[in-house]
Amino acid sequence: MKKVAPSFLAADIWRISEQITALDQAGCSILHLDIMDWHFVPNLSYGADWIKGLRPHTQMIFDTHLMMEEPDAYLPAVRAAGSGYCTVHVEAVRHLDRTLHLIRELGMKPGVSLNPATPLSAVEEVLDLCDLVLLMSVNPGFGGQKFIPYTYDRLSRLAALRDRRALSFQIEVDGGVTADNADSVAQAGADILVAGSAVFGQPDVAAAYRAVVEAANRR
């Protein structure tokens, strides 16, 4: 079963409680949370305190994506906020092996993310340390962008690499995912599809979420 992780970055700040409750009632099991630092990406978002404040109000797994430079010092706060997954960028971490081990030692499932132009070879040496590999399908920093088409090939090659090495990490894709392309994204190899404006940007969040899930699991 392919999963859809709505991206909290696209939530309506005036309707957060209503929207999170609607997703819970629709059966959503995972919520994607982007923490941006204005250095690694040209945007600034919420921090661990926001996530901690949200934690008591939902049972969804928190899939926290750190779009930030040198995230090691921030990892304890991410864990204290209640995150289940923690993903860092290969382009932003000085010692990736050490960081992935630290994430697991703190009790979270480690993930690594790659920007669209970063080759898959950049993470080949640490794939056995990962529970999650996140391929960005837009250039990171802002929601509402269009899906980059060559991501389909990257997804297929990453899935083939996972099979060839008999590894078990999940493949996640983030950026430009909608009900119109979720089928193709899932078929290319994604296990978790992050959807922001396609879910939170719609009048009926629960219906929009279900539409993306249905599309992702069509075949």
Side-chain angles (χ1 to χ4, degrees):
M1 174 93 178
K2 307 291 186 177
K3 295 182 179 180
V4 172
S7 177
F8 188 68
L9 187 67
D12 184 340
I13 192 170
W14 302 113
R15 300 175 58 212
I16 288 175
S17 177
E18 170 194 336
Q19 291 183 329
I20 293 299
T21 298
L23 288 173
D24 271 323
Q25 293 175 348
C28 184
S29 64
I30 184 167
L31 184 68
H32 189 80
L33 299 133
D34 293 307
I35 296 180
M36 304 178 181
D37 67 353
W38 195 262
H39 296 285
F40 178 63
V41 294
N43 200 359
L44 188 67
S45 66
Y46 46 81
D49 285 346
W50 268 74
I51 299 174
K52 187 175 182 179
L54 183 62
R55 181 68 283 174
H57 303 290
T58 176
Q59 295 301 309
M60 286 185 281
I61 297 168
F62 284 179
D63 169 29
T64 301
H65 179 192
L66 299 182
M67 296 183 179
M68 61 191 305
E69 296 177 356
E70 300 297 332
D72 290 30
Y74 204 71
L75 295 177
V78 174
R79 176 52 181 162
S83 298
Y85 287 93
C86 183
T87 298
V88 296
H89 269 264
V90 63
E91 305 89 355
V93 176
R94 192 179 300 271
H95 302 292
L96 185 57
D97 179 277
R98 177 185 299 160
T99 299
L100 293 172
H101 277 291
L102 180 57
I103 292 170
R104 194 175 299 280
E105 289 166 6
L106 286 169
M108 296 179 287
K109 294 182 178 181
V112 62
S113 182
L114 298 90
N115 285 336
T118 302
L120 300 182
S121 59
V123 297
E124 282 192 48
E125 303 302 329
V126 297
L127 289 176
D128 60 332
L129 303 178
C130 298
D131 285 283
L132 187 71
V133 177
L134 168 58
L135 297 185
M136 293 301 301
S137 44
V138 297
N139 289 296
F142 299 93
Q145 300 183 64
K146 291 185 178 180
F147 188 92
I148 295 175
Y150 63 72
T151 306
Y152 292 118
D153 177 65
R154 286 164 61 79
L155 285 166
S156 297
R157 287 188 285 118
L158 181 58
L161 176 60
R162 177 178 61 183
D163 292 344
R164 187 164 63 249
R165 291 179 53 179
L167 297 173
S168 59
F169 60 84
Q170 295 190 85
I171 298 174
E172 186 172 47
V173 65
D174 181 4
V177 173
T178 69
D180 292 331
N181 64 13
D183 182 11
S184 298
V185 172
Q187 289 302 309
D191 304 301
I192 303 173
L193 290 72
V194 177
S197 56
V199 174
F200 280 113
Q202 306 307 307
D204 188 332
V205 169
Y209 165 76
R210 287 192 292 265
V212 181
V213 171
E214 181 180 350
N217 291 280
R218 189 164 291 150
R219 300 180 188 176

mmCIF file of all heavy atoms in Angstrom, residues 113-140:
data_model
loop_
_atom_site.group_PDB
_atom_site.id
_atom_site.type_symbol
_atom_site.label_atom_id
_atom_site.label_comp_id
_atom_site.label_asym_id
_atom_site.label_seq_id
_atom_site.Cartn_x
_atom_site.Cartn_y
_atom_site.Cartn_z
ATOM 1 N N SER A 113 18.015 12.789 2.118
ATOM 2 C CA SER A 113 17.333 13.407 0.992
ATOM 3 C C SER A 113 18.334 13.900 -0.039
ATOM 4 O O SER A 113 19.443 14.318 0.303
ATOM 5 C CB SER A 113 16.466 14.576 1.475
ATOM 6 O OG SER A 113 15.753 15.157 0.399
ATOM 7 N N LEU A 114 17.893 13.857 -1.310
ATOM 8 C CA LEU A 114 18.709 14.352 -2.411
ATOM 9 C C LEU A 114 17.922 15.388 -3.205
ATOM 10 O O LEU A 114 16.758 15.168 -3.540
ATOM 11 C CB LEU A 114 19.111 13.224 -3.365
ATOM 12 C CG LEU A 114 19.965 12.080 -2.838
ATOM 13 C CD1 LEU A 114 19.065 10.964 -2.307
ATOM 14 C CD2 LEU A 114 20.854 11.534 -3.944
ATOM 15 N N ASN A 115 18.574 16.494 -3.518
ATOM 16 C CA ASN A 115 17.990 17.488 -4.399
ATOM 17 C C ASN A 115 17.916 16.941 -5.820
ATOM 18 O O ASN A 115 18.597 15.966 -6.160
ATOM 19 C CB ASN A 115 18.815 18.773 -4.354
ATOM 20 C CG ASN A 115 18.582 19.567 -3.086
ATOM 21 O OD1 ASN A 115 17.538 19.435 -2.439
ATOM 22 N ND2 ASN A 115 19.551 20.389 -2.722
ATOM 23 N N PRO A 116 17.117 17.555 -6.691
ATOM 24 C CA PRO A 116 16.902 17.001 -8.031
ATOM 25 C C PRO A 116 18.173 16.741 -8.837
ATOM 26 O O PRO A 116 18.242 15.758 -9.580
ATOM 27 C CB PRO A 116 16.027 18.070 -8.708
ATOM 28 C CG PRO A 116 15.267 18.686 -7.589
ATOM 29 C CD PRO A 116 16.228 18.725 -6.450
ATOM 30 N N ALA A 117 19.181 17.605 -8.718
ATOM 31 C CA ALA A 117 20.390 17.452 -9.529
ATOM 32 C C ALA A 117 21.495 16.659 -8.839
ATOM 33 O O ALA A 117 22.576 16.480 -9.404
ATOM 34 C CB ALA A 117 20.924 18.830 -9.932
ATOM 35 N N THR A 118 21.241 16.169 -7.631
ATOM 36 C CA THR A 118 22.244 15.388 -6.913
ATOM 37 C C THR A 118 22.183 13.929 -7.356
ATOM 38 O O THR A 118 21.121 13.314 -7.283
ATOM 39 C CB THR A 118 22.020 15.471 -5.392
ATOM 40 O OG1 THR A 118 22.070 16.844 -4.986
ATOM 41 C CG2 THR A 118 23.084 14.685 -4.647
ATOM 42 N N PRO A 119 23.295 13.349 -7.814
ATOM 43 C CA PRO A 119 23.266 11.972 -8.302
ATOM 44 C C PRO A 119 22.981 10.971 -7.181
ATOM 45 O O PRO A 119 23.358 11.194 -6.022
ATOM 46 C CB PRO A 119 24.668 11.766 -8.884
ATOM 47 C CG PRO A 119 25.516 12.775 -8.200
ATOM 48 C CD PRO A 119 24.635 13.961 -7.942
ATOM 49 N N LEU A 120 22.328 9.879 -7.543
ATOM 50 C CA LEU A 120 22.046 8.833 -6.554
ATOM 51 C C LEU A 120 23.325 8.282 -5.937
ATOM 52 O O LEU A 120 23.322 7.816 -4.792
ATOM 53 C CB LEU A 120 21.263 7.693 -7.217
ATOM 54 C CG LEU A 120 19.916 8.049 -7.844
ATOM 55 C CD1 LEU A 120 19.262 6.792 -8.412
ATOM 56 C CD2 LEU A 120 18.991 8.724 -6.841
ATOM 57 N N SER A 121 24.408 8.331 -6.669
ATOM 58 C CA SER A 121 25.685 7.807 -6.169
ATOM 59 C C SER A 121 26.150 8.518 -4.904
ATOM 60 O O SER A 121 26.964 7.986 -4.152
ATOM 61 C CB SER A 121 26.768 7.915 -7.245
ATOM 62 O OG SER A 121 26.949 9.260 -7.643
ATOM 63 N N ALA A 122 25.608 9.722 -4.640
ATOM 64 C CA ALA A 122 26.008 10.478 -3.456
ATOM 65 C C ALA A 122 25.623 9.791 -2.160
ATOM 66 O O ALA A 122 26.184 10.094 -1.103
ATOM 67 C CB ALA A 122 25.402 11.883 -3.500
ATOM 68 N N VAL A 123 24.651 8.857 -2.220
ATOM 69 C CA VAL A 123 24.205 8.182 -0.996
ATOM 70 C C VAL A 123 24.400 6.674 -1.038
ATOM 71 O O VAL A 123 24.012 5.978 -0.088
ATOM 72 C CB VAL A 123 22.724 8.504 -0.687
ATOM 73 C CG1 VAL A 123 22.540 9.987 -0.430
ATOM 74 C CG2 VAL A 123 21.809 8.043 -1.807
ATOM 75 N N GLU A 124 24.998 6.156 -2.090
ATOM 76 C CA GLU A 124 25.128 4.704 -2.218
ATOM 77 C C GLU A 124 25.835 4.067 -1.031
ATOM 78 O O GLU A 124 25.481 2.966 -0.608
ATOM 79 C CB GLU A 124 25.858 4.347 -3.508
ATOM 80 C CG GLU A 124 24.994 4.433 -4.748
ATOM 81 C CD GLU A 124 25.637 3.796 -5.958
ATOM 82 O OE1 GLU A 124 26.125 2.650 -5.837
ATOM 83 O OE2 GLU A 124 25.666 4.445 -7.016
ATOM 84 N N GLU A 125 26.822 4.743 -0.469
ATOM 85 C CA GLU A 125 27.611 4.153 0.613
ATOM 86 C C GLU A 125 26.855 4.070 1.938
ATOM 87 O O GLU A 125 27.278 3.323 2.831
ATOM 88 C CB GLU A 125 28.913 4.943 0.819
ATOM 89 C CG GLU A 125 29.787 5.056 -0.415
ATOM 90 C CD GLU A 125 30.191 3.702 -0.977
ATOM 91 O OE1 GLU A 125 30.327 2.748 -0.190
ATOM 92 O OE2 GLU A 125 30.381 3.609 -2.201
ATOM 93 N N VAL A 126 25.774 4.819 2.080
ATOM 94 C CA VAL A 126 25.069 4.838 3.368
ATOM 95 C C VAL A 126 23.652 4.284 3.283
ATOM 96 O O VAL A 126 22.899 4.384 4.254
ATOM 97 C CB VAL A 126 25.033 6.266 3.963
ATOM 98 C CG1 VAL A 126 26.438 6.768 4.260
ATOM 99 C CG2 VAL A 126 24.298 7.234 3.039
ATOM 100 N N LEU A 127 23.286 3.700 2.169
ATOM 101 C CA LEU A 127 21.912 3.222 2.021
ATOM 102 C C LEU A 127 21.532 2.178 3.066
ATOM 103 O O LEU A 127 20.374 2.105 3.486
ATOM 104 C CB LEU A 127 21.701 2.645 0.617
ATOM 105 C CG LEU A 127 21.668 3.667 -0.525
ATOM 106 C CD1 LEU A 127 21.545 2.952 -1.866
ATOM 107 C CD2 LEU A 127 20.533 4.666 -0.338
ATOM 108 N N ASP A 128 22.500 1.388 3.505
ATOM 109 C CA ASP A 128 22.191 0.372 4.515
ATOM 110 C C ASP A 128 21.950 0.975 5.895
ATOM 111 O O ASP A 128 21.483 0.288 6.809
ATOM 112 C CB ASP A 128 23.302 -0.671 4.581
ATOM 113 C CG ASP A 128 24.653 -0.086 4.944
ATOM 114 O OD1 ASP A 128 24.893 1.106 4.652
ATOM 115 O OD2 ASP A 128 25.481 -0.811 5.533
ATOM 116 N N LEU A 129 22.217 2.268 6.052
ATOM 117 C CA LEU A 129 21.973 2.955 7.322
ATOM 118 C C LEU A 129 20.622 3.654 7.344
ATOM 119 O O LEU A 129 20.223 4.192 8.379
ATOM 120 C CB LEU A 129 23.066 4.007 7.579
ATOM 121 C CG LEU A 129 24.512 3.517 7.606
ATOM 122 C CD1 LEU A 129 25.451 4.705 7.835
ATOM 123 C CD2 LEU A 129 24.719 2.463 8.682
ATOM 124 N N CYS A 130 19.920 3.648 6.217
ATOM 125 C CA CYS A 130 18.711 4.462 6.060
ATOM 126 C C CYS A 130 17.433 3.634 6.143
ATOM 127 O O CYS A 130 17.354 2.534 5.610
ATOM 128 C CB CYS A 130 18.740 5.183 4.715
ATOM 129 S SG CYS A 130 20.115 6.330 4.519
ATOM 130 N N ASP A 131 16.433 4.210 6.776
ATOM 131 C CA ASP A 131 15.070 3.676 6.716
ATOM 132 C C ASP A 131 14.270 4.360 5.615
ATOM 133 O O ASP A 131 13.215 3.867 5.222
ATOM 134 C CB ASP A 131 14.355 3.883 8.053
ATOM 135 C CG ASP A 131 14.835 2.907 9.111
ATOM 136 O OD1 ASP A 131 14.424 1.744 9.068
ATOM 137 O OD2 ASP A 131 15.647 3.311 9.968
ATOM 138 N N LEU A 132 14.795 5.503 5.144
ATOM 139 C CA LEU A 132 14.070 6.316 4.179
ATOM 140 C C LEU A 132 15.060 7.035 3.274
ATOM 141 O O LEU A 132 16.086 7.541 3.747
ATOM 142 C CB LEU A 132 13.222 7.349 4.935
ATOM 143 C CG LEU A 132 12.248 8.209 4.149
ATOM 144 C CD1 LEU A 132 11.067 7.379 3.671
ATOM 145 C CD2 LEU A 132 11.745 9.361 5.027
ATOM 146 N N VAL A 133 14.761 7.050 1.974
ATOM 147 C CA VAL A 133 15.505 7.884 1.029
ATOM 148 C C VAL A 133 14.483 8.775 0.330
ATOM 149 O O VAL A 133 13.543 8.281 -0.292
ATOM 150 C CB VAL A 133 16.296 7.056 0.003
ATOM 151 C CG1 VAL A 133 16.982 7.980 -1.000
ATOM 152 C CG2 VAL A 133 17.331 6.175 0.712
ATOM 153 N N LEU A 134 14.668 10.077 0.466
ATOM 154 C CA LEU A 134 13.727 11.066 -0.058
ATOM 155 C C LEU A 134 14.318 11.740 -1.290
ATOM 156 O O LEU A 134 15.376 12.369 -1.218
ATOM 157 C CB LEU A 134 13.429 12.108 1.019
ATOM 158 C CG LEU A 134 12.688 13.382 0.603
ATOM 159 C CD1 LEU A 134 11.355 13.062 -0.035
ATOM 160 C CD2 LEU A 134 12.504 14.306 1.801
ATOM 161 N N LEU A 135 13.638 11.590 -2.416
ATOM 162 C CA LEU A 135 14.028 12.286 -3.635
ATOM 163 C C LEU A 135 13.181 13.540 -3.786
ATOM 164 O O LEU A 135 11.950 13.460 -3.858
ATOM 165 C CB LEU A 135 13.841 11.385 -4.861
ATOM 166 C CG LEU A 135 14.686 10.110 -4.927
ATOM 167 C CD1 LEU A 135 14.461 9.412 -6.264
ATOM 168 C CD2 LEU A 135 16.167 10.413 -4.720
ATOM 169 N N MET A 136 13.845 14.685 -3.848
ATOM 170 C CA MET A 136 13.129 15.925 -4.112
ATOM 171 C C MET A 136 12.757 15.967 -5.590
ATOM 172 O O MET A 136 13.604 15.754 -6.463
ATOM 173 C CB MET A 136 13.997 17.131 -3.758
ATOM 174 C CG MET A 136 14.288 17.289 -2.273
ATOM 175 S SD MET A 136 12.792 17.471 -1.255
ATOM 176 C CE MET A 136 12.054 18.948 -1.975
ATOM 177 N N SER A 137 11.492 16.242 -5.872
ATOM 178 C CA SER A 137 11.029 16.328 -7.247
ATOM 179 C C SER A 137 10.745 17.776 -7.650
ATOM 180 O O SER A 137 10.146 18.041 -8.693
ATOM 181 C CB SER A 137 9.788 15.457 -7.451
ATOM 182 O OG SER A 137 8.872 15.609 -6.384
ATOM 183 N N VAL A 138 11.183 18.697 -6.784
ATOM 184 C CA VAL A 138 11.236 20.130 -7.083
ATOM 185 C C VAL A 138 12.507 20.640 -6.397
ATOM 186 O O VAL A 138 13.080 19.964 -5.546
ATOM 187 C CB VAL A 138 10.019 20.906 -6.536
ATOM 188 C CG1 VAL A 138 8.723 20.431 -7.171
ATOM 189 C CG2 VAL A 138 9.937 20.824 -5.014
ATOM 190 N N ASN A 139 12.934 21.832 -6.755
ATOM 191 C CA ASN A 139 14.040 22.439 -6.025
ATOM 192 C C ASN A 139 13.510 22.937 -4.687
ATOM 193 O O ASN A 139 12.496 23.641 -4.638
ATOM 194 C CB ASN A 139 14.647 23.584 -6.841
ATOM 195 C CG ASN A 139 15.400 23.059 -8.050
ATOM 196 O OD1 ASN A 139 16.393 22.354 -7.909
ATOM 197 N ND2 ASN A 139 14.929 23.376 -9.239
ATOM 198 N N PRO A 140 14.144 22.539 -3.585
ATOM 199 C CA PRO A 140 13.555 22.742 -2.262
ATOM 200 C C PRO A 140 13.472 24.200 -1.838
ATOM 201 O O PRO A 140 14.255 25.045 -2.253
ATOM 202 C CB PRO A 140 14.495 21.955 -1.356
ATOM 203 C CG PRO A 140 15.808 21.989 -2.054
ATOM 204 C CD PRO A 140 15.471 21.910 -3.513
#
